[in-house]
């Protein structure tokens, strides 16, 4: 595993093809491919239904949707299990991907005491103690040093997930450096959608987070959000922790809420479906998507009818 990855030529390139490796999809076991696709569909249809319900006014709190990024935790969870998970906002799909109860998540968004955080966390600060997922307080990036502390105390493999804006918070660097010094089992995941609300990376900074991670002593990679590539990279990095993975992606809805900023630079879900079709799995994928849509819509309908 190469431990030093220069980002000088790629920091300015928010690309749908960055780091792709030919043949990964073909080499992936069919069961894993379908599992990633099934989880992606669950995450996506959950978010689409959450957006629909939000627009009716039933959900009163701000909502942070992972549409456009829902396949990232689906790919990570395909090759990691029983890890501690510290997420930021846009964490619905991590909760679902790592085994969280969908009905409890619906109840959380509906402000109910039966929600996964007792109705107190809402969309942005989800907790799922039964699956080892811990939300954040609202202070951007504060989950990163907490994740490092949890890894130090428990010795368990830990995911610290944050966005490209949180990557600019100074305590994130300190936490990453401490993890490197103590050789803690932490995988830092930056979901880099190139936006801090609406401000692109190029306006905010001239330096590379990947080079910073390298300088702190972490193995680091900068890739696009190809699900097979994510699974491959995570599988490789598991043996080189602590490590940092910057994943270029595109959000499809506003930073908070259900609106649309414009046409995203790419649509990974549509691409994923097409690649699955090329693998000869179109029929299986169609069944998975339809069954998942019906399951999610039925779950939302049932919870909305429950007092």
């Amino acid at each position: 595993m190469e431990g030093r990855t220069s980002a000088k030529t790629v920091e300015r390139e928010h690309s749908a093809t960055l780091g792709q490796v030919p043949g990964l999809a073909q080499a992936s076991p069919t069961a894993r491919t379908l599992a990633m696709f099934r989880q992606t569909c669950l995450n996506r249809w959950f978010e689409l239904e959450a957006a629909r319900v939000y627009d009716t006014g039933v959900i009163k709190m701000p909502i942070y949707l992972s549409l456009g990024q829902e396949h990232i935790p689906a790919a990570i969870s395909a090759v990691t299990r029983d890890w501690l998970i510290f997420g930021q906002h846009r964490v619905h799909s991590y909760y679902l991907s790592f085994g969280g109860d969908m009905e409890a998540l619906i109840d959380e968004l509906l402000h109910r005491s039966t929600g996964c955080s007792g109705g107190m966390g809402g969309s942005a600060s989800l907790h799922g103690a039964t699956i080892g997922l811990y939300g954040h307080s609202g202070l951007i990036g504060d989950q990163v040093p907490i994740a490092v502390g949890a890894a130090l105390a428990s010795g368990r493999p830990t995911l610290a997930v944050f966005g490209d804006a949180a990557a600019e918070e100074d305590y994130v660097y300190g936490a990453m450096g401490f993890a490197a010094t103590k050789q803690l089992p932490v995988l830092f995941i930056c979901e880099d959608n190139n936006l801090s609300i609406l401000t692109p990376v190029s306006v905010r900074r001239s330096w590379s987070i990947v080079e910073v991670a390298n300088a702190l002593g972490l193995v680091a990679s900068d890739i696009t959000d190809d699900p097979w590539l994510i699974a491959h990279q995570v599988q490789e990095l598991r043996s080189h922790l602590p490590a940092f993975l910057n994943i270029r992606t595109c959000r499809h809805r506003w930073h908070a809420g259900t609106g649309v900023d414009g046409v995203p630079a790419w649509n990974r879900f549509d691409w994923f479906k097409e690649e699955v079709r090329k693998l000869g799995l179109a029929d299986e994928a169609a069944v998975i998507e339809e069954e998942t849509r019906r399951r999610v819509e039925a779950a939302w309908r049932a919870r909305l009818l429950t007092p």
Side-chain angles (χ1 to χ4, degrees):
M1 184 72 191
E2 188 174 330
R4 293 289 181 265
T5 304
S6 174
K8 286 186 182 297
T9 60
V10 299
E11 185 63 13
R12 296 183 299 276
E13 180 189 357
H14 198 71
S15 166
T17 59
L18 182 63
Q20 281 186 317
V21 178
L24 281 182
Q26 292 77 11
S28 176
T30 298
R32 178 184 295 172
T33 291
L34 292 177
M36 290 195 299
F37 185 75
R38 181 177 291 105
Q39 188 63 55
T40 297
C41 287
L42 178 64
N43 297 346
R44 184 172 183 83
W45 282 106
F46 182 92
E47 297 290 63
L48 288 168
E49 196 64 11
R52 185 191 66 78
V53 174
Y54 182 86
D55 287 341
T56 69
V58 172
I59 298 173
K60 304 299 183 183
M61 66 187 75
I63 195 167
Y64 298 87
L65 300 171
S66 61
L67 287 165
Q69 301 176 208
E70 67 275 5
H71 56 287
I72 297 176
I76 295 171
S77 66
V79 292
T80 59
R81 284 291 175 182
D82 301 320
W83 286 39
L84 296 177
I85 308 151
F86 291 81
Q88 204 168 272
H89 55 270
R90 236 176 297 286
V91 77
H92 302 169
S93 289
Y94 279 89
Y95 176 84
L96 293 171
S97 294
F98 283 88
D101 180 80
M102 178 167 55
E103 285 75 15
L105 178 53
I106 294 172
D107 283 1
E108 184 65 29
L109 298 182
L110 296 175
H111 325 285
R112 295 173 175 170
S113 61
T114 48
C116 57
S117 306
M120 302 298 290
S123 176
S125 301
L126 289 180
H127 292 265
T130 58
I131 60 170
L133 182 146
Y134 302 93
H136 78 129
S137 66
L139 179 63
I140 297 302
D142 75 338
Q143 73 282 1
V144 179
I146 297 171
V148 170
L152 175 67
S154 68
R156 291 180 59 184
T158 301
L159 285 175
V161 184
F162 50 98
D164 54 276
E168 296 160 16
E169 298 294 338
D170 56 355
Y171 46 79
V172 171
Y173 314 140
M176 291 168 66
F178 185 81
T181 298
K182 298 296 184 180
Q183 287 296 287
L184 299 178
V186 183
L187 177 56
F188 300 92
I189 299 284
C190 180
E191 293 194 354
D192 182 353
N193 61 28
N194 196 43
L195 292 171
S196 175
I197 302 182
L198 287 172
T199 307
V201 168
S202 61
V203 174
R204 302 186 332 249
R205 53 177 150 99
S206 59
W207 46 269
S208 160
I209 184 60
V210 177
E211 288 191 343
V212 170
N214 279 162
L216 291 170
L218 301 177
V219 176
S221 293
D222 195 3
I223 64 171
T224 194
D225 59 347
D226 172 340
W228 290 283
L229 180 60
I230 294 169
H232 171 74
Q233 284 285 333
V234 170
Q235 204 166 21
E236 289 287 307
L237 291 172
R238 288 186 314 183
S239 302
H240 298 273
L241 300 178
F244 175 84
L245 187 59
N246 195 67
I247 303 174
R248 308 300 184 107
T249 191
C250 295
R251 73 172 195 228
H252 287 188
R253 299 297 175 100
W254 285 343
H255 166 71
T258 61
V260 178
D261 295 319
V263 178
W266 64 86
N267 186 319
R268 189 60 73 184
F269 182 70
D270 287 349
W271 179 91
F272 194 4
K273 283 205 298 185
E274 176 60 18
E275 293 302 304
V276 169
R277 183 194 66 78
K278 291 177 183 177
L279 293 172
L281 300 171
D283 291 344
E284 293 91 331
V287 170
I288 287 171
E289 188 171 5
E290 180 61 18
E291 288 181 347
T292 301
R293 180 187 66 79
R294 291 180 180 178
R295 175 189 166 198
V296 170
E297 290 177 353
W300 272 98
R301 189 162 53 246
R303 298 315 300 161
L304 287 166
L305 291 174
T306 301

